[in-house]
Amino acid sequence: MTRKKNMQELGLILAGLIVGSAVGATGVGGGSLMTPILILFCGIKPTIAVGTDLLYASLSKAFGVALHGRNGSVDWKIVMWLSAGSLPATAVTLLVLHHLRPGPSLDHLIQGVLAAAIIVTASFTLLQEPIRRWMGRHGVAVGDDALQRLQRPLTLLAGVLIGTLVTISSVGAGVIGMMILLLLYPRHEPVKLVGSDLAHAVLITGIAGLGHAGIGAVDYRMLGLLLVGALPGIWLGTRLGFRMSPLLLKRAVAGFLVFIGVTMAAKAWALAH
């Protein structure tokens, strides 16, 4: 029994190390990788995996936000408008989840939403560079009145989408949020969009994680083990990212996400039938 427990703890630390390395090297793969790894390879129930991963994401990314804030690379107005949509959406979604309570029906819901979110995330990751090139050729001017009028309401709506998706599946605060900001703010400095997206991700995952904790869907021992692996993983991944092609790394992560998403979808379909 002790040997099995030790192997499980080692597996969780390794999961934190792998995901931390992926995030450090590419900026992609936080919730998209961690939650399905916990479900598929560590045998963790979906409700516990999502709740624990939300707090893990918030804590592990907080350091990055501090660095961005110190460097002035966070646009707090963007964070505010995203939060204006995501916070109410998170509250409503948490009320629905509290009503459902942990069980088979909630597990099926999480697996289905998670599979779809992962596939969308992988698609955005693969299409990120083509979209950037297209925006470079057909970018909307900063002074465009229509864009300026639509930016705030569309940012708020993006927050609603992200808040709902993240609260259910723990996926979406990173790469999906970043792709939306790139489309809505084509003339902003990319580093400010990254900092803003990260700041919003820390806020929304933290609140959603505390909400999941309220229904008993957080394993604090597992959270600690994941962080033990994640911190050196982020350090290692950052250094690997400087030595390897970022595009190649992102494609590798995206390919893995597609595999995981299809596997999750197949498992959710099998359980439903």
Side-chain angles (χ1 to χ4, degrees):
M1 187 69 178
T2 303
R3 180 181 174 84
K4 183 178 180 181
K5 182 179 179 182
N6 290 340
M7 291 299 293
Q8 184 185 44
E9 290 180 349
L10 183 61
L12 291 171
I13 293 173
L14 183 61
L17 180 66
I18 292 171
V19 175
S21 299
V23 172
T26 69
V28 173
S32 308
L33 283 175
M34 182 57 78
T35 300
I37 284 175
L38 292 176
I39 294 171
L40 293 176
F41 302 117
C42 298
I44 307 300
K45 289 184 178 180
T47 48
I48 300 296
V50 169
T52 305
D53 181 42
L54 284 167
L55 287 183
Y56 159 83
S58 183
L59 292 171
S60 61
K61 292 178 180 179
F63 180 66
V65 174
L67 292 177
H68 276 281
R70 188 181 305 167
N71 293 330
S73 53
V74 177
D75 188 327
W76 293 106
K77 288 184 179 180
I78 292 178
V79 177
M80 181 189 72
W81 281 104
L82 282 171
S83 301
S86 64
L87 294 182
T90 297
V92 171
T93 307
L94 284 171
L95 285 175
V96 174
L97 294 179
H98 274 257
H99 176 72
L100 291 174
R101 285 290 175 180
S105 61
L106 184 55
D107 286 345
H108 295 165
L109 172 65
I110 288 173
Q111 284 185 319
V113 173
L114 182 60
I118 289 169
I119 292 172
V120 171
T121 298
S123 301
F124 277 158
T125 303
L126 290 171
L127 294 173
Q128 189 174 22
E129 292 305 317
I131 289 175
R132 281 177 182 266
R133 290 195 294 269
W134 181 87
M135 288 169 58
R137 293 193 300 268
H138 305 89
V140 180
V142 174
D144 188 280
D145 292 337
L147 179 60
Q148 288 185 337
R149 285 196 305 270
L150 291 173
Q151 270 180 340
R152 287 183 176 179
L154 288 178
T155 302
L156 190 147
L157 288 175
V160 172
L161 171 65
I162 293 168
T164 304
L165 194 59
V166 168
T167 306
I168 295 175
S169 69
S170 81
V171 176
V175 68
I176 293 178
M178 185 62 192
M179 287 305 305
I180 290 173
L181 292 183
L182 283 170
L183 292 172
L184 293 180
Y185 300 88
R187 297 303 184 189
H188 269 56
E189 293 180 51
V191 67
K192 281 201 169 185
L193 295 182
V194 171
S196 304
D197 182 52
L198 196 61
H200 177 250
V202 169
L203 175 66
I204 202 66
T205 54
I207 292 173
L210 291 174
H212 277 262
I215 58 173
V218 172
D219 186 324
Y220 294 101
R221 172 180 155 275
M222 181 168 67
L223 173 62
L225 292 170
L226 292 175
L227 289 173
V228 167
L231 297 180
I234 292 171
W235 179 88
L236 177 64
T238 302
R239 277 140 188 81
L240 286 175
F242 287 125
R243 296 172 181 268
M244 301 175 69
S245 165
L247 182 59
L248 179 62
L249 284 169
K250 285 190 176 184
R251 285 177 176 173
V253 172
F256 186 50
L257 289 177
V258 170
F259 167 75
I260 287 177
V262 172
T263 304
M264 291 288 297
K267 186 173 181 179
W269 185 87
L271 288 173
H273 294 79

